[in-house]
Coordinates of all heavy atoms in Angstrom, one line a residue:
M53 N 56.0 139.1 65.0 CA 57.3 138.7 64.3 C 57.1 137.4 63.5 O 57.7 137.3 62.5 CB 58.4 138.7 65.4 CG 59.7 138.3 64.9 SD 60.4 139.8 64.1 CE 62.0 139.2 63.9
A54 N 56.4 136.5 64.1 CA 56.2 135.2 63.4 C 55.5 135.3 62.2 O 55.7 134.7 61.2 CB 55.5 134.2 64.4
Q55 N 54.5 136.2 62.2 CA 53.7 136.5 60.9 C 54.6 137.1 59.8 O 54.5 136.7 58.7 CB 52.5 137.4 61.2 CG 51.4 136.7 61.8 CD 50.2 137.7 62.0 OE1 50.4 138.9 62.1 NE2 49.0 137.1 61.9
H56 N 55.5 138.0 60.2 CA 56.4 138.6 59.2 C 57.3 137.5 58.6 O 57.5 137.5 57.4 CB 57.2 139.7 59.9 CG 58.3 140.3 59.0 ND1 57.9 141.0 57.8 CD2 59.6 140.2 59.0 CE1 59.0 141.4 57.2 NE2 60.1 140.9 57.9
H57 N 57.8 136.6 59.5 CA 58.7 135.6 59.0 C 57.9 134.6 58.0 O 58.4 134.2 57.0 CB 59.3 134.7 60.1 CG 60.2 133.6 59.7 ND1 61.4 133.8 59.0 CD2 60.0 132.3 59.7 CE1 61.9 132.6 58.7 NE2 61.0 131.7 59.2
L58 N 56.7 134.3 58.4 CA 55.8 133.4 57.6 C 55.5 134.1 56.2 O 55.6 133.5 55.2 CB 54.6 133.1 58.4 CG 53.6 132.1 57.6 CD1 54.2 130.8 57.4 CD2 52.3 132.0 58.5
A59 N 55.2 135.4 56.3 CA 54.9 136.1 55.0 C 56.1 136.2 54.1 O 56.0 136.0 52.9 CB 54.4 137.5 55.3
S60 N 57.3 136.5 54.7 CA 58.4 136.5 53.8 C 58.9 135.2 53.3 O 59.3 135.0 52.2 CB 59.6 137.2 54.6 OG 60.0 136.4 55.7
S61 N 58.6 134.1 54.1 CA 58.9 132.8 53.7 C 58.0 132.4 52.5 O 58.4 131.8 51.5 CB 58.8 131.8 54.8 OG 58.9 130.5 54.4
T62 N 56.7 132.7 52.6 CA 55.7 132.4 51.6 C 56.1 133.2 50.3 O 56.0 132.7 49.2 CB 54.3 132.8 52.1 OG1 54.1 132.1 53.3 CG2 53.3 132.4 51.1
L63 N 56.5 134.5 50.5 CA 56.8 135.3 49.3 C 58.1 134.7 48.6 O 58.1 134.6 47.4 CB 57.1 136.7 49.8 CG 57.5 137.7 48.7 CD1 56.4 137.8 47.6 CD2 57.8 139.0 49.3
A64 N 59.0 134.3 49.4 CA 60.2 133.7 48.8 C 59.9 132.4 48.1 O 60.4 132.1 47.0 CB 61.3 133.4 49.9
D65 N 59.1 131.6 48.7 CA 58.6 130.3 48.0 C 57.9 130.6 46.7 O 58.1 130.0 45.7 CB 57.7 129.5 48.9 CG 58.5 128.9 50.1 OD1 59.7 128.9 50.1 OD2 57.8 128.5 51.1
G66 N 57.0 131.6 46.8 CA 56.3 132.0 45.5 C 57.2 132.5 44.5 O 57.0 132.2 43.3
L67 N 58.2 133.3 44.8 CA 59.1 133.9 43.9 C 60.0 132.7 43.3 O 60.3 132.7 42.1 CB 60.0 135.0 44.5 CG 59.2 136.3 44.8 CD1 60.2 137.2 45.5 CD2 58.7 136.9 43.5
A68 N 60.4 131.8 44.1 CA 61.2 130.7 43.6 C 60.4 129.8 42.7 O 60.9 129.4 41.6 CB 61.7 129.8 44.8
A69 N 59.1 129.6 43.0 CA 58.2 128.8 42.1 C 58.0 129.6 40.7 O 58.1 129.0 39.7 CB 56.9 128.6 42.7
L70 N 57.9 130.9 40.8 CA 57.7 131.7 39.6 C 59.0 131.7 38.8 O 58.9 131.5 37.5 CB 57.4 133.1 40.0 CG 57.2 134.1 38.8 CD1 56.1 133.7 37.9 CD2 56.9 135.5 39.3
H71 N 60.1 131.7 39.4 CA 61.4 131.7 38.7 C 61.5 130.3 38.0 O 61.9 130.2 36.9 CB 62.5 131.9 39.7 CG 63.9 131.9 39.0 ND1 64.3 132.8 38.1 CD2 64.9 131.0 39.2 CE1 65.5 132.5 37.7 NE2 65.9 131.4 38.3
Q72 N 61.1 129.3 38.7 CA 61.2 127.9 38.2 C 60.3 127.7 36.9 O 60.6 127.2 35.9 CB 60.9 126.9 39.2 CG 61.1 125.4 38.7 CD 60.9 124.4 39.9 OE1 60.3 124.8 40.9 NE2 61.3 123.2 39.6
L73 N 59.1 128.3 37.1 CA 58.1 128.3 35.9 C 58.7 129.0 34.7 O 58.5 128.6 33.6 CB 56.7 128.9 36.3 CG 55.9 128.0 37.2 CD1 54.7 128.7 37.6 CD2 55.5 126.7 36.4
L74 N 59.2 130.2 34.9 CA 59.8 131.0 33.9 C 61.0 130.2 33.2 O 61.1 130.2 32.0 CB 60.3 132.3 34.4 CG 59.2 133.3 34.7 CD1 59.8 134.6 35.4 CD2 58.3 133.6 33.6
D75 N 61.8 129.5 34.0 CA 62.9 128.7 33.4 C 62.3 127.6 32.6 O 62.8 127.3 31.5 CB 63.7 128.1 34.5 CG 64.6 129.1 35.2 OD1 64.8 130.2 34.7 OD2 65.2 128.8 36.3
L76 N 61.2 127.0 33.1 CA 60.6 125.9 32.3 C 60.0 126.4 31.0 O 60.0 125.7 30.0 CB 59.6 125.1 33.2 CG 60.2 124.3 34.3 CD1 59.1 123.9 35.3 CD2 61.0 123.2 33.8
L77 N 59.4 127.5 31.1 CA 58.8 128.1 29.9 C 59.8 128.5 28.8 O 59.7 128.3 27.6 CB 57.9 129.3 30.2 CG 56.6 129.0 30.9 CD1 55.9 130.3 31.4 CD2 55.7 128.2 30.1
A78 N 61.0 128.9 29.3 CA 62.1 129.2 28.4 C 62.6 127.9 27.8 O 63.0 127.8 26.6 CB 63.3 129.9 29.2
A79 N 62.6 126.8 28.6 CA 63.1 125.5 28.1 C 62.1 125.0 27.0 O 62.5 124.5 26.0 CB 63.1 124.5 29.2
L80 N 60.8 125.3 27.2 CA 59.8 124.9 26.2 C 60.0 125.7 24.9 O 59.9 125.1 23.8 CB 58.4 125.2 26.7 CG 57.2 124.7 25.9 CD1 57.2 123.2 25.7 CD2 55.9 125.1 26.6
K81 N 60.4 127.0 25.0 CA 60.6 127.8 23.9 C 61.9 127.3 23.1 O 62.0 127.5 21.9 CB 60.7 129.3 24.3 CG 60.9 130.2 23.2 CD 60.9 131.7 23.7 CE 61.0 132.6 22.6 NZ 61.1 134.0 23.0
Q82 N 62.8 126.7 23.8 CA 64.1 126.3 23.2 C 64.0 124.9 22.5 O 65.1 124.5 22.0 CB 65.1 126.3 24.3 CG 65.3 127.6 25.0 CD 66.6 128.3 24.6 OE1 67.5 127.7 24.2 NE2 66.6 129.6 24.8
I83 N 62.9 124.3 22.6 CA 62.8 123.0 21.9 C 63.0 123.2 20.4 O 62.4 123.9 19.8 CB 61.5 122.3 22.2 CG1 61.3 122.0 23.7 CG2 61.2 121.1 21.4 CD1 60.0 121.5 24.1
S84 N 64.0 122.4 19.9 CA 64.4 122.6 18.5 C 63.7 121.7 17.6 O 63.5 122.0 16.4 CB 65.9 122.5 18.4 OG 66.3 121.2 18.8
D85 N 63.3 120.5 18.1 CA 62.6 119.6 17.2 C 61.1 120.0 17.1 O 60.6 120.5 18.1 CB 62.7 118.2 17.7 CG 64.2 117.7 17.7 OD1 64.8 117.8 16.6 OD2 64.7 117.2 18.7
P86 N 60.5 119.7 15.9 CA 59.1 120.1 15.8 C 58.3 119.1 16.7 O 58.6 118.0 17.0 CB 58.8 119.8 14.3 CG 59.9 118.9 13.9 CD 61.1 119.2 14.7
L87 N 57.1 119.6 17.1 CA 56.2 118.9 18.0 C 55.7 117.6 17.3 O 55.4 116.7 17.9 CB 55.0 119.8 18.3 CG 54.1 119.3 19.4 CD1 54.8 119.1 20.7 CD2 53.0 120.3 19.6
T88 N 55.7 117.6 16.0 CA 55.3 116.4 15.2 C 56.3 115.3 15.1 O 56.0 114.3 14.6 CB 54.8 116.9 13.8 OG1 55.9 117.6 13.2 CG2 53.6 117.8 13.9
S89 N 57.5 115.6 15.7 CA 58.5 114.5 15.7 C 58.5 113.9 17.1 O 58.1 114.5 18.1 CB 59.9 115.1 15.4 OG 60.4 115.9 16.6
A90 N 59.0 112.7 17.1 CA 59.0 111.9 18.4 C 59.9 112.7 19.5 O 59.5 112.9 20.6 CB 59.5 110.5 18.2
A91 N 61.0 113.2 19.0 CA 61.9 113.9 20.0 C 61.3 115.2 20.4 O 61.3 115.5 21.6 CB 63.3 114.2 19.3
G92 N 60.7 115.9 19.5 CA 60.0 117.2 19.9 C 58.9 117.0 20.8 O 58.7 117.8 21.8
L93 N 58.0 116.0 20.6 CA 56.9 115.8 21.4 C 57.4 115.3 22.8 O 56.8 115.7 23.8 CB 56.0 114.7 20.8 CG 54.7 114.3 21.6 CD1 53.8 115.6 21.8 CD2 53.9 113.2 20.9
H94 N 58.4 114.4 22.8 CA 58.9 113.9 24.1 C 59.5 115.1 24.9 O 59.1 115.2 26.1 CB 60.0 112.9 23.8 CG 60.4 112.2 25.1 ND1 61.3 112.7 26.0 CD2 60.0 110.9 25.5 CE1 61.5 111.8 27.0 NE2 60.7 110.7 26.7
E95 N 60.2 116.0 24.3 CA 60.7 117.2 25.0 C 59.6 118.1 25.5 O 59.6 118.5 26.7 CB 61.6 118.0 24.1 CG 62.9 117.5 23.8 CD 63.8 118.4 22.9 OE1 64.4 119.3 23.4 OE2 63.7 118.1 21.7
A96 N 58.6 118.3 24.7 CA 57.5 119.1 25.1 C 56.7 118.6 26.3 O 56.3 119.2 27.2 CB 56.5 119.4 23.9
I97 N 56.4 117.2 26.2 CA 55.7 116.6 27.3 C 56.5 116.6 28.6 O 56.0 116.8 29.7 CB 55.3 115.2 26.9 CG1 54.3 115.2 25.8 CG2 54.7 114.4 28.1 CD1 53.9 113.8 25.2
T98 N 57.8 116.4 28.5 CA 58.7 116.5 29.7 C 58.6 117.8 30.3 O 58.5 117.9 31.5 CB 60.1 116.1 29.3 OG1 60.2 114.8 28.7 CG2 61.1 116.2 30.5
V99 N 58.7 118.9 29.5 CA 58.6 120.3 30.1 C 57.2 120.5 30.6 O 57.1 121.1 31.7 CB 59.0 121.3 29.0 CG1 58.7 122.7 29.5 CG2 60.4 121.2 28.6
L100 N 56.2 120.1 29.9 CA 54.8 120.2 30.4 C 54.6 119.5 31.8 O 54.0 120.1 32.7 CB 53.8 119.6 29.4 CG 52.4 119.5 29.9 CD1 51.8 120.9 30.0 CD2 51.5 118.7 28.9
L101 N 55.2 118.3 32.0 CA 55.2 117.7 33.3 C 55.8 118.5 34.3 O 55.3 118.6 35.5 CB 55.8 116.3 33.1 CG 54.9 115.1 32.8 CD1 55.7 113.9 32.6 CD2 53.9 114.9 33.9
Q102 N 57.0 119.0 34.0 CA 57.7 119.9 35.0 C 56.9 121.1 35.4 O 56.8 121.5 36.6 CB 59.1 120.2 34.5 CG 60.0 119.1 34.3 CD 61.3 119.4 33.6 OE1 61.4 120.3 32.9 NE2 62.3 118.5 33.8
V103 N 56.3 121.8 34.4 CA 55.5 123.0 34.7 C 54.3 122.6 35.5 O 54.0 123.2 36.5 CB 55.0 123.6 33.3 CG1 54.0 124.7 33.6 CG2 56.2 124.2 32.6
A104 N 53.6 121.5 35.2 CA 52.4 121.1 35.9 C 52.8 120.7 37.3 O 52.0 121.0 38.2 CB 51.7 119.9 35.2
T105 N 53.9 120.0 37.5 CA 54.3 119.6 38.8 C 54.6 120.9 39.7 O 54.2 121.0 40.8 CB 55.6 118.7 38.8 OG1 55.3 117.6 38.0 CG2 56.1 118.3 40.2
T106 N 55.3 121.8 39.1 CA 55.7 123.1 39.8 C 54.4 123.8 40.1 O 54.3 124.5 41.2 CB 56.6 123.9 38.9 OG1 57.7 123.2 38.7 CG2 56.9 125.2 39.6
A107 N 53.4 123.8 39.3 CA 52.1 124.5 39.5 C 51.2 123.8 40.5 O 50.2 124.3 40.8 CB 51.4 124.8 38.2
G108 N 51.6 122.6 40.9 CA 50.8 121.8 41.8 C 49.6 121.2 41.2 O 48.5 121.0 41.8
A109 N 49.8 120.7 40.0 CA 48.7 120.0 39.3 C 48.2 118.7 40.0 O 49.0 118.2 40.8 CB 49.1 119.7 37.9
N110 N 47.1 118.3 39.7 CA 46.5 117.1 40.3 C 47.4 115.9 40.0 O 47.8 115.6 38.9 CB 45.1 116.9 39.6 CG 44.4 115.6 40.1 OD1 45.0 114.5 40.2 ND2 43.1 115.8 40.5
P111 N 47.7 115.1 41.0 CA 48.6 114.0 40.9 C 48.1 113.0 39.9 O 48.9 112.3 39.1 CB 48.7 113.4 42.3 CG 48.4 114.5 43.2 CD 47.4 115.4 42.5
D112 N 46.8 112.8 39.8 CA 46.2 111.9 38.8 C 46.5 112.3 37.4 O 46.8 111.5 36.5 CB 44.7 111.6 39.0 CG 44.4 110.9 40.3 OD1 45.3 110.2 40.8 OD2 43.3 111.1 40.9
A113 N 46.4 113.6 37.2 CA 46.6 114.2 35.8 C 48.1 114.0 35.5 O 48.5 113.7 34.4 CB 46.2 115.7 35.8
L114 N 49.0 114.3 36.5 CA 50.4 114.1 36.3 C 50.8 112.6 35.9 O 51.6 112.4 35.0 CB 51.2 114.5 37.5 CG 51.2 116.0 37.8 CD1 51.8 116.3 39.2 CD2 51.8 116.8 36.7
A115 N 50.1 111.7 36.6 CA 50.3 110.3 36.3 C 49.9 109.9 34.9 O 50.5 109.2 34.1 CB 49.6 109.4 37.3
A116 N 48.7 110.5 34.4 CA 48.3 110.3 33.0 C 49.3 110.8 32.0 O 49.5 110.2 31.0 CB 46.9 110.9 32.9
I117 N 49.8 112.0 32.3 CA 50.7 112.6 31.3 C 52.0 111.8 31.3 O 52.6 111.5 30.3 CB 51.0 114.1 31.7 CG1 49.7 114.9 31.5 CG2 52.1 114.6 30.9 CD1 49.8 116.3 32.1
S118 N 52.5 111.4 32.5 CA 53.7 110.5 32.6 C 53.5 109.2 31.8 O 54.4 108.7 31.2 CB 54.0 110.2 34.1 OG 54.3 111.3 34.8
R119 N 52.3 108.7 31.8 CA 52.0 107.5 31.1 C 52.3 107.6 29.6 O 52.9 106.7 29.0 CB 50.6 107.0 31.3 CG 50.2 105.7 30.6 CD 48.9 105.3 31.0 NE 48.6 104.0 30.3 CZ 47.4 103.8 29.7 NH1 46.4 104.6 29.8 NH2 47.2 102.6 29.0
V120 N 52.1 108.8 29.1 CA 52.4 109.1 27.7 C 53.9 108.9 27.4 O 54.3 108.3 26.4 CB 51.9 110.4 27.2 CG1 52.4 110.8 25.9 CG2 50.4 110.6 27.4
L121 N 54.7 109.3 28.3 CA 56.2 109.2 28.1 C 56.6 107.8 28.4 O 57.6 107.3 27.8 CB 56.9 110.2 29.1 CG 56.8 111.6 28.7 CD1 57.5 112.5 29.8 CD2 57.3 111.9 27.4
N122 N 56.0 107.1 29.4 CA 56.5 105.8 29.9 C 56.0 104.6 29.1 O 56.7 103.6 29.1 CB 56.2 105.7 31.3 CG 56.9 106.7 32.2 OD1 57.9 107.2 31.9 ND2 56.2 107.1 33.3
E123 N 55.0 104.8 28.3 CA 54.4 103.6 27.6 C 54.5 103.9 26.1 O 53.8 104.8 25.6 CB 53.0 103.3 28.0 CG 52.9 102.9 29.5 CD 51.5 102.5 29.9 OE1 50.7 102.1 29.0 OE2 51.2 102.6 31.1
E124 N 55.4 103.2 25.4 CA 55.6 103.4 24.0 C 54.4 103.4 23.1 O 54.2 104.3 22.2 CB 56.7 102.4 23.5 CG 57.1 102.7 22.0 CD 58.1 101.7 21.6 OE1 58.5 100.8 22.3 OE2 58.5 101.8 20.4
V125 N 53.5 102.5 23.4 CA 52.3 102.4 22.6 C 51.4 103.7 22.8 O 50.9 104.3 21.8 CB 51.5 101.2 22.9 CG1 50.1 101.2 22.3 CG2 52.2 99.9 22.6
V126 N 51.3 104.1 24.0 CA 50.5 105.4 24.3 C 51.2 106.6 23.6 O 50.5 107.4 23.0 CB 50.3 105.6 25.8 CG1 49.6 106.9 26.1 CG2 49.6 104.4 26.4
F127 N 52.5 106.6 23.8 CA 53.3 107.7 23.1 C 53.0 107.8 21.6 O 52.8 108.8 21.1 CB 54.7 107.6 23.5 CG 55.5 108.8 22.9 CD1 55.6 110.0 23.5 CD2 56.2 108.6 21.7 CE1 56.4 111.0 23.0 CE2 57.0 109.6 21.1 CZ 57.0 110.9 21.8
N128 N 53.1 106.6 21.0 CA 52.9 106.6 19.5 C 51.5 107.0 19.1 O 51.3 107.6 18.1 CB 53.3 105.2 19.0 CG 54.8 104.9 19.1 OD1 55.6 105.9 19.0 ND2 55.1 103.7 19.2
V129 N 50.5 106.7 19.9 CA 49.2 107.1 19.6 C 49.1 108.6 19.7 O 48.5 109.3 18.8 CB 48.1 106.4 20.5 CG1 46.8 107.0 20.4 CG2 48.0 104.9 20.2
V130 N 49.6 109.2 20.8 CA 49.6 110.6 21.0 C 50.3 111.3 19.8 O 49.9 112.3 19.3 CB 50.1 111.0 22.4 CG1 50.3 112.5 22.5 CG2 49.3 110.5 23.5
L131 N 51.5 110.8 19.5 CA 52.3 111.3 18.4 C 51.5 111.3 17.1 O 51.4 112.3 16.3 CB 53.6 110.6 18.2 CG 54.5 111.0 17.1 CD1 54.9 112.5 17.2 CD2 55.7 110.1 17.0
A132 N 50.8 110.2 16.8 CA 50.0 110.1 15.6 C 48.9 111.2 15.6 O 48.6 111.8 14.6 CB 49.4 108.7 15.5
V133 N 48.2 111.4 16.8 CA 47.2 112.3 16.9 C 47.7 113.8 16.7 O 47.1 114.6 15.9 CB 46.4 112.3 18.2 CG1 45.5 113.4 18.5 CG2 45.7 111.0 18.4
V134 N 48.9 114.1 17.2 CA 49.5 115.4 17.0 C 49.9 115.6 15.6 O 49.6 116.6 15.0 CB 50.8 115.5 17.9 CG1 51.6 116.7 17.6 CG2 50.4 115.6 19.4
Q135 N 50.4 114.6 14.9 CA 50.8 114.7 13.5 C 49.5 114.9 12.6 O 49.5 115.7 11.7 CB 51.5 113.4 13.0 CG 52.9 113.4 13.6 CD 53.6 112.0 13.4 OE1 53.0 111.0 13.1 NE2 54.9 112.0 13.5
Y136 N 48.4 114.2 13.0 CA 47.2 114.3 12.2 C 46.6 115.7 12.4 O 46.2 116.3 11.4 CB 46.2 113.3 12.7 CG 44.8 113.4 12.1 CD1 44.6 113.1 10.8 CD2 43.7 113.9 12.8 CE1 43.3 113.3 10.2 CE2 42.5 114.1 12.3 CZ 42.3 113.8 11.0 OH 41.0 113.9 10.4
L137 N 46.6 116.2 13.6 CA 46.1 117.6 13.9 C 46.9 118.6 13.2 O 46.4 119.6 12.6 CB 46.0 117.8 15.4 CG 44.9 117.0 16.1 CD1 45.0 117.3 17.6 CD2 43.5 117.4 15.6
A138 N 48.2 118.4 13.2 CA 49.1 119.3 12.5 C 48.9 119.4 11.0 O 48.9 120.4 10.4 CB 50.6 119.0 12.8
S139 N 48.6 118.2 10.4 CA 48.3 118.1 9.0 C 47.0 118.8 8.7 O 46.9 119.5 7.7 CB 48.3 116.7 8.5 OG 47.1 116.0 8.9
L140 N 46.0 118.7 9.6 CA 44.7 119.4 9.4 C 44.9 120.9 9.5 O 44.4 121.7 8.7 CB 43.7 119.0 10.4 CG 43.1 117.6 10.3 CD1 42.2 117.3 11.5 CD2 42.5 117.3 9.0
L141 N 45.7 121.4 10.4 CA 46.0 122.8 10.6 C 46.8 123.4 9.5 O 46.6 124.6 9.2 CB 46.6 123.1 11.9 CG 45.8 122.8 13.2 CD1 46.7 122.9 14.4 CD2 44.6 123.7 13.2
S142 N 47.6 122.6 8.9 CA 48.4 123.1 7.8 C 47.7 123.0 6.4 O 48.3 123.4 5.4 CB 49.8 122.4 7.7 OG 49.6 121.0 7.3
G143 N 46.5 122.5 6.4 CA 45.8 122.4 5.2 C 46.1 121.1 4.4 O 45.7 121.0 3.3
G144 N 46.9 120.2 4.9 CA 47.3 119.0 4.2 C 46.1 118.0 4.2 O 45.2 118.0 5.0
S145 N 46.1 117.2 3.2 CA 45.1 116.2 3.0 C 45.4 115.0 3.8 O 46.6 114.5 3.8 CB 44.9 115.8 1.6 OG 44.0 114.8 1.4
T146 N 44.4 114.4 4.5 CA 44.8 113.2 5.3 C 44.0 112.0 4.7 O 44.1 110.9 5.2 CB 44.3 113.4 6.7 OG1 42.9 113.7 6.7 CG2 45.1 114.5 7.4
T147 N 43.4 112.2 3.6 CA 42.7 111.0 3.0 C 43.4 110.7 1.6 O 44.0 111.5 1.0 CB 41.2 111.4 2.7 OG1 41.2 112.5 1.8 CG2 40.5 111.7 4.0
S148 N 43.3 109.4 1.3 CA 43.8 109.0 0.0 C 42.7 108.9 -1.0 O 41.6 108.6 -0.6 CB 44.6 107.6 0.2 OG 43.6 106.7 0.6
G149 N 43.0 109.3 -2.2 CA 41.9 109.3 -3.2 C 41.2 110.6 -3.2 O 41.5 111.5 -2.5
T150 N 40.1 110.6 -4.0 CA 39.3 111.8 -4.1 C 37.9 111.5 -3.8 O 37.4 110.4 -3.9 CB 39.4 112.4 -5.5 OG1 39.0 111.4 -6.5 CG2 40.8 112.8 -5.9
A151 N 37.2 112.6 -3.4 CA 35.8 112.4 -3.1 C 35.0 112.2 -4.5 O 35.3 112.8 -5.5 CB 35.2 113.6 -2.4
P152 N 33.9 111.4 -4.4 CA 33.2 111.1 -5.6 C 32.5 112.4 -6.0 O 32.1 113.2 -5.2 CB 32.2 110.1 -5.2 CG 32.2 110.0 -3.7 CD 33.5 110.6 -3.2
T153 N 32.3 112.6 -7.3 CA 31.6 113.7 -7.8 C 30.2 113.3 -8.4 O 30.1 112.1 -8.8 CB 32.4 114.4 -9.0 OG1 32.7 113.4 -10.0 CG2 33.7 115.0 -8.4
S154 N 29.3 114.2 -8.4 CA 28.0 113.8 -8.9 C 27.7 114.2 -10.3 O 28.4 114.9 -10.9 CB 26.9 114.3 -8.0 OG 27.1 115.5 -7.4

């Protein structure tokens, strides 16, 4: 009988965690600001932290991700990297001037 209670408790916990993850993924999908904006990146990182916490991610990794949100300088560096990568993926030029010709 104790094993049955333990199994149903574990199943209920697993289903609750799955439901929470699905809610967080829906929240990620609902982010209206682009990832290349400060607001959009902040929302995305917040949801990522919640997903990682729910999934039982390494506390050191969670602390590193939290640092991005909590330290303005770090956040701005990450935002600049995201914007740079987005410009590369969209085919935008990131250099000023033109390459020399021979």
Side-chain angles (χ1 to χ4, degrees):
M53 181 77 170
Q55 281 184 330
H56 175 65
H57 177 68
L58 181 61
S60 63
S61 175
T62 304
L63 178 60
D65 291 344
L67 288 175
L70 179 61
H71 182 67
Q72 188 176 11
L73 282 173
L74 291 173
D75 287 346
L76 291 169
L77 291 174
L80 188 60
K81 187 177 179 182
Q82 303 252 338
I83 294 174
S84 59
D85 294 309
L87 192 59
T88 54
S89 72
L93 181 61
H94 193 278
E95 286 180 84
I97 292 172
T98 300
V99 173
L100 173 65
L101 267 172
Q102 293 171 339
V103 170
T105 301
T106 301
N110 180 311
D112 292 335
L114 294 173
I117 296 169
S118 292
R119 183 172 176 221
V120 173
L121 288 178
N122 298 328
E123 296 185 26
E124 185 178 357
V125 172
V126 176
F127 181 82
N128 288 334
V129 168
V130 172
L131 179 60
V133 169
V134 168
Q135 291 170 339
Y136 174 73
L137 292 174
S139 73
L140 291 178
L141 292 173
S142 68
S145 174
T146 58
T147 60
S148 58
T150 58
T153 58
S154 33

